[in-house]
Amino acid sequence: MLLSALEKNLNELNQTIKNKVGSHPVLLLISGGVDSTVAGALLLKTLNSDQVHLMYMDTGLMRKNETTAVRAILEKLGAKNIHIVMCENEFLSALKGKTEPEEKRKIIGDLFITIQEREVARLGLPQDYFLAQGSIRADFIESGLTASGLTANSEKKANVIKSHHNVASPLVIAKREAGKILEPLAQFYKDEVREIGRYLGIDEEIVSRHPFPGPGIAVRILGEVTKEKCGILREADAIFIEELKKRRASSGDNPGKSLYEEIWQAFAVLLPIRSVGVGDGVTDGGRRYGWVLALRAITSTDGMTANVYPLETRDLLEISARITGSVKEIGRVTYDISNKPPATIEWE
Ligand code: XMP
């Protein structure tokens, strides 16, 4: 979008939001991703900050330091009413002993809705508050809804490979029916949302963040999710991402850019296998069994298809050595070299 077109779009959008909301309170559900952060920035820019309530749930399934970072971003944007809900224990208890990917997704989606409704009720907002979401154009297409909220293609839903829980909680449906839903980014594509975010002064680090699935690292810990495994995966993933940010791409479309910028999505996956290894030869020379970690990095335009990013061997070796050197529970690192199709991007 040209700057002038962007400004015109935003001016129109600001006016539409103001006209629709008036002086009613607005509650925005924040996930920590690009879309809801940009939606938050837009609301804070347009409305009175006393009017805007931002709710974020720390499920314990987020990336390293995510909650602290989310709070800092929202404060920087001028938010006054930030409601952070700490619910790690509830999620981990519900996931105890569960190993089936779709069952895990359903447990997380349902619990998310239950806690969200409970916490929203606790805020005690007046009945006629507006509920805002950071949904973008692709969310409506993927979930079989149109931007006006009507079911456009129900067969499409039957074909989804993995269930998504982003758009249609009972609260959202009720608010939509009451005409009290606000989705300021519904007409925009991801690239445009990023541009709007930059224009509104959101840090590049957040605006260019890779996509992150709703169920979080629960679908990146294959099999049962435990607090210990979440900790191991979070550490390894943070190292992988940090390395991709500091290393430059030597080829590809944009030589000189960081690998992170070249890649569409990258993350670590903790496999439910332990494999034999040897001690470091100094403290002990004996056999030990460490977890196996897979690294995934892909290029894509919309996540529907994906190609493996051809990381240089040297980068892979150095990143692997740093991970096994720092996260002692991990004994072996592999690189996922499967495109989508046939593989999906996430492992579960
Ligand atoms: P797959 O694994 O289906 O992923 O190839 C395509 C894109 O969708 C993300 N993904 C999810 N996002 N809830 C979400 O909000 C989910 O359950 C979910 N599963 C996958 C994935 O990270 C990738 O960007």
Side-chain angles (χ1 to χ4, degrees):
M1 247 189 300
L2 289 169
L3 187 60
S4 54
L6 178 72
E7 283 174 346
K8 184 170 172 282
N9 265 339
L10 283 182
N11 285 339
E12 282 170 12
L13 197 54
N14 285 355
Q15 210 45 55
T16 313
I17 296 172
K18 274 187 188 150
N19 291 346
K20 186 165 181 180
V21 173
S23 57
H24 293 289
V26 179
L27 171 65
L28 172 69
L29 308 170
I30 291 267
S31 70
V34 181
D35 307 340
S36 58
T37 309
V38 174
L42 197 54
L43 293 180
L44 289 163
K45 201 92 174 172
T46 310
L47 303 169
N48 185 330
S49 56
D50 289 324
Q51 220 180 324
V52 181
H53 294 258
L54 304 160
M55 182 179 278
Y56 167 86
M57 281 163 55
D58 181 336
T59 60
L61 306 170
M62 324 304 294
R63 290 163 282 193
K64 191 176 174 186
N65 295 334
E66 187 126 27
T67 301
T68 317
V70 167
R71 185 187 282 283
I73 297 158
L74 299 179
E75 281 173 354
K76 196 173 160 208
L77 290 171
K80 286 190 184 154
N81 305 312
I82 303 173
H83 311 285
I84 303 230
V85 184
M86 302 302 285
C87 41
E88 178 185 31
N89 290 343
E90 280 176 273
F91 276 88
L92 289 180
S93 312
L95 287 168
K96 200 167 188 309
K98 305 296 179 192
T99 55
E100 273 296 311
E102 277 305 284
E103 191 187 3
K104 283 163 63 177
R105 268 197 177 74
K106 180 154 175 29
I107 289 169
I108 294 166
D110 290 351
L111 188 57
F112 208 90
I113 288 169
T114 306
I115 298 179
Q116 194 177 74
E117 302 217 329
R118 181 184 78 203
E119 296 298 322
V120 169
R122 263 178 31 177
L123 286 183
L125 294 174
Q127 194 69 28
D128 56 0
Y129 76 90
F130 277 81
L131 184 71
Q133 295 199 111
S135 336
I136 65 169
R137 206 172 181 128
D139 295 324
F140 295 97
I141 298 162
E142 271 179 27
S143 61
L145 294 170
T146 65
S148 63
L150 303 168
T151 301
N153 185 352
S154 47
E155 307 93 80
K156 209 172 204 167
K157 271 195 144 171
N159 289 333
V160 288
I161 297 168
K162 299 171 184 180
S163 57
H164 291 237
H165 294 276
N166 298 341
V167 183
S169 75
L171 178 66
V172 172
I173 292 168
K175 280 288 176 188
R176 204 184 289 286
E177 279 169 4
K180 290 278 188 284
I181 201 94
L182 194 63
E183 283 164 323
L185 302 176
Q187 57 178 302
F188 298 109
Y189 290 103
K190 194 86 179 183
D191 291 0
E192 297 170 324
V193 171
R194 292 200 160 108
E195 268 184 73
I196 295 171
R198 284 187 193 102
Y199 181 80
L200 294 175
I202 301 177
D203 292 347
E204 189 58 35
E205 177 143 11
I206 295 141
V207 167
S208 54
R209 212 162 189 201
H210 289 174
F212 186 64
I217 59 172
V219 291
R220 295 177 178 175
I221 294 171
L222 271 55
E224 189 183 10
V225 178
T226 63
K227 188 173 172 117
E228 190 206 357
K229 285 188 172 182
C230 287
I232 296 170
L233 179 64
R234 250 195 290 274
E235 285 305 316
D237 187 72
I239 294 172
F240 183 34
I241 299 301
E242 191 189 308
E243 289 291 333
L244 295 178
K245 285 184 177 170
K246 72 181 192 206
R247 289 166 188 266
R248 303 286 116 194
S250 53
S251 55
D253 292 342
N254 303 298
K257 275 199 163 186
S258 76
L259 288 173
Y260 186 82
E261 288 170 289
E262 272 281 284
I263 289 165
W264 194 79
Q265 193 172 10
F267 53 89
V269 183
L270 192 63
L271 307 191
I273 336 163
R274 296 217 284 177
S275 166
V276 71
V278 290
D280 58 18
V282 181
T283 50
D284 80 87
R287 291 159 77 85
R288 63 189 187 101
Y289 291 84
W291 292 108
V292 180
L293 188 84
L295 300 178
R296 184 120 171 94
I298 52 102
T299 55
S300 179
T301 49
D302 54 9
M304 304 302 276
T305 59
N307 288 322
V308 174
Y309 186 80
L311 276 173
E312 302 281 338
T313 309
R314 212 182 74 178
D315 289 317
L316 282 169
L317 296 181
E318 289 172 2
I319 294 169
S320 163
R322 193 179 151 204
I323 291 174
T324 48
S326 322
V327 190
K328 293 296 173 202
E329 296 87 346
I330 294 173
R332 203 175 282 265
V333 176
T334 65
Y335 190 52
D336 179 349
I337 52 168
S338 303
N339 289 339
K340 174 183 180 176
T344 50
I345 295 175
E346 302 292 342
W347 274 50
E348 275 198 341

